[in-house]
Amino acid sequence: GIESKYPKQFSANFVNQKLSVDPITANEVSQALKTTFTYSNIFIQTSLEGTIAICKNLLASTEEQILILTPTERDAIQTHKLLAEPASALLHGKTKLPIRASLITNWRRGQIKLLIGTRQSALLPAKKLGLIIITQSSSDDYRITDRNPRFDVRLATQLQADQHNARLISCDHFP
């Protein structure tokens, strides 16, 4: 169901089995998100596969940049493979320096439509960011407390969303 607790927040429960995604449900949730421009913070209870199904539907409907954040490198790689978008890029801690520099520059110029990355991606400037999706939003891997700069990705993305007037979608298995 869809429920609104605060004027600028939106919540939807989209629970599915671990490895199966109902395309009709994904489409319905995506349609609700497309028409929910008045909400800036959105929470969706779903699996990673459900998140990817929703992302695929949203990608086709926007020209703005989309940032998808994952807690680990493995999740970023898996998400990138499952989305298989030609205008997408993958950025994580093991990305080689020349490739990293090129990705950051192209993201800043708006030449990359979809960036899938780990924590560091939350700090990158974008040209026209319209949507930020945080997968597994309750993960402690989003909080950096052992080295500088110390920050929480969820708070950094909230600032990024406010600056760009973008929507922020948090997806997780748990409410």
Side-chain angles (χ1 to χ4, degrees):
I2 297 172
E3 56 188 64
S4 176
K5 293 183 182 177
Y6 305 101
K8 289 202 149 209
Q9 291 192 344
F10 172 89
S11 179
N13 291 331
F14 172 49
V15 183
N16 54 44
Q17 295 175 2
K18 185 163 177 67
L19 294 175
S20 69
V21 175
D22 179 5
I24 295 169
T25 306
N27 190 39
E28 287 174 0
V29 171
S30 300
Q31 289 299 324
L33 294 175
K34 289 175 194 174
T35 59
T36 314
F37 292 109
T38 56
Y39 299 101
S40 59
N41 296 332
I42 299 167
F43 175 78
I44 301 172
Q45 184 179 350
T46 183
S47 64
L48 179 60
E49 291 81 9
T51 302
I52 288 169
I54 292 168
C55 290
K56 284 184 178 184
N57 283 318
L58 291 173
L59 275 170
S61 67
T62 184
E63 292 301 317
E64 296 176 317
Q65 290 175 294
I66 298 174
L67 175 62
I68 299 176
L69 296 167
T70 63
T72 65
E73 175 191 345
R74 183 184 63 82
D75 291 333
I77 292 168
Q78 179 184 12
T79 302
H80 189 256
K81 284 180 185 176
L82 290 172
L83 278 172
E85 286 294 317
S88 68
L90 177 63
L91 180 65
H92 51 73
K94 293 184 181 172
T95 303
K96 304 274 186 222
L97 197 56
I99 296 170
R100 178 189 311 261
S102 173
L103 288 176
I104 292 170
T105 301
N106 290 336
W107 175 251
R108 190 173 348 124
R109 290 180 182 161
Q111 296 170 344
I112 296 174
K113 181 180 176 185
L114 172 65
L115 179 63
I116 301 164
T118 53
R119 299 177 294 211
Q120 62 190 333
S121 302
L123 302 176
L124 298 179
K127 183 172 184 171
K128 191 176 180 185
L129 187 60
L131 177 64
I132 302 170
I133 300 171
I134 304 175
T135 65
Q136 301 172 34
S137 60
S138 66
S139 175
D140 285 336
D141 290 328
Y142 285 123
R143 192 174 328 164
I144 301 172
T145 57
D146 58 342
R147 61 176 191 259
N148 288 325
R150 290 177 170 87
F151 71 99
D152 190 318
V153 169
R154 295 161 288 216
L155 297 175
T157 54
Q158 181 62 56
L159 290 173
Q160 189 85 288
D162 291 344
Q163 287 176 346
H164 288 273
N165 199 21
R167 289 182 292 160
L168 175 61
I169 300 175
S170 300
C171 298
D172 207 332
H173 289 283
F174 308 105

